[in-house]
Structures are given as C-alpha cells and as structure tokens.
Amino acid sequence: MKRISLRMVREDLVDIPQYALPDGFRIRLFEKGDEHHWARVEASVDEFENQDSALEHFHKEFGPYINEMMNRCVFIENEHGEVIGTTTAWYGNLKDDGEVLGRIHWVGILPAYQGKKLSKPLLSAAMNILANYHSKAYLTSQTTSYQAVNMYLNYGFRPYITGPSCHEAWSLLEDTLERKIVE
C-alpha cells in the first residue's frame, strides 16, 4: 500500500471507549529514566533506524518536558515488568489558529506483543489522560497503519482533510478497511 500521511481529529473527549488489559499486563506512567524504554519500543516498530536515534529524538522532543511526561506518557508492562508498549497523551496544534488540542502521540507495541489485545487499553488510558487537560484531540498516522487507523475510527476520530493527498489516503483506507469513512 502507498504510504500517505494523514491526520484525524476527535471533536470531544467524552464517552471514551474503555478496555481492560489482558491478565498479566499493567499500565503505568513514565518515570525519570524511562526514555530508554520509550526508545526501545519506538525503534522496534520501525519509527527510527535504531534505538540510539530514537533516544536522540526523545531528548530533542521531550527532554525539556520530563515532568509533563510523568503525567502524560503511558507504558504497558508484561508480567515480568518489561515495558512492551507506549503512547503519549501529548498536545499540539492541528491548525495554525493557536488552539492547543490533546494529541495521541508515538503509539507503539513491541512486535512480539502485537495482536494480543493491548492497543485498545493503551489508547483508552491515554485518552483518559487527555480528557483531564483538553476538550478535543488529534493524531497523525499513515495509510500503511490501516489497522491502527481502523481502531482510531472506532474511538471516534474522524478524517481531517487538508488537501488532495488526504482524499487519496482516505479512499485507499476505505477500500482496504471495506468501510465508508469520508462523508
């Protein structure tokens, strides 16, 4: 599938779907020193060339905001206390109008743990955090992450159309997911 970047927005943060983790897993918040866990997970899902480049990115994007990360970054641990997934309930601007929205940012689960019903509880936990700070949320993704996009649609996120490439992206996703997405 052609990789096309896309954005999605959720106009409110009420009635967030809730999912429990399977037995043996737990969710916890970021603690100082966890940046290595974040980098390992994100590098494992090919967001970065390697763990060192992921760690470098972490320090650049989140380094000045470690205290905020302790309230906004979520990890999933397995039964041995190993971090196997993460996402961040961050914030940013969807448009250039100055409005700050919540942002689901850097979702990742180690490949060996994908398909084990961990993504929905992770997303629910992050969205619950966002609801404490924001009234709306957005995220960025790409057409090649169509399974994640399908989950985001089921969580109430909708396409944010900004130009012709968006129409191509959503048309590809409608065909792949066999569902009507754009009204």
Side-chain angles (χ1 to χ4, degrees), residues 22 31 77 96 119 132 142:
E31 298 169 359
E77 292 181 337
D96 291 330
S119 296
N132 292 327
Q142 55 279 331

Side-chain angles (χ1 to χ4, degrees), residues 29 36 56 134:
L29 291 172
H36 297 284
E56 183 179 323
H134 308 281

Side-chain angles (χ1 to χ4, degrees), residues 116-172:
K116 298 189 183 297
K117 304 201 179 291
L118 300 171
S119 296
K120 289 178 183 176
L122 182 64
L123 183 58
S124 294
M127 289 185 66
N128 291 338
I129 292 169
L130 285 181
N132 292 327
Y133 299 99
H134 308 281
S135 59
K136 295 185 207 178
Y138 78 101
L139 58 85
T140 60
S141 192
Q142 55 279 331
T143 51
T144 51
S145 297
Y146 59 89
Q147 291 169 312
V149 169
N150 195 48
M151 178 179 68
Y152 301 143
L153 288 165
N154 292 338
Y155 267 76
F157 284 90
R158 295 292 166 243
Y160 183 73
I161 308 290
T162 57
S165 67
C166 295
H167 293 291
E168 180 184 2
W170 291 108
S171 178
L172 273 171

Side-chain angles (χ1 to χ4, degrees), residues 19-56:
Y19 292 90
L21 282 168
D23 289 341
F25 296 93
R26 78 177 188 110
I27 288 181
R28 71 165 176 87
L29 291 172
F30 180 95
E31 298 169 359
K32 289 181 181 176
D34 278 339
E35 53 269 23
H36 297 284
H37 297 304
W38 183 94
R40 184 174 47 81
V41 171
E42 294 301 338
S44 80
V45 295
D46 298 328
E47 289 291 342
F48 298 95
E49 185 178 321
N50 55 46
Q51 192 169 331
D52 288 338
S53 61
L55 190 57
E56 183 179 323

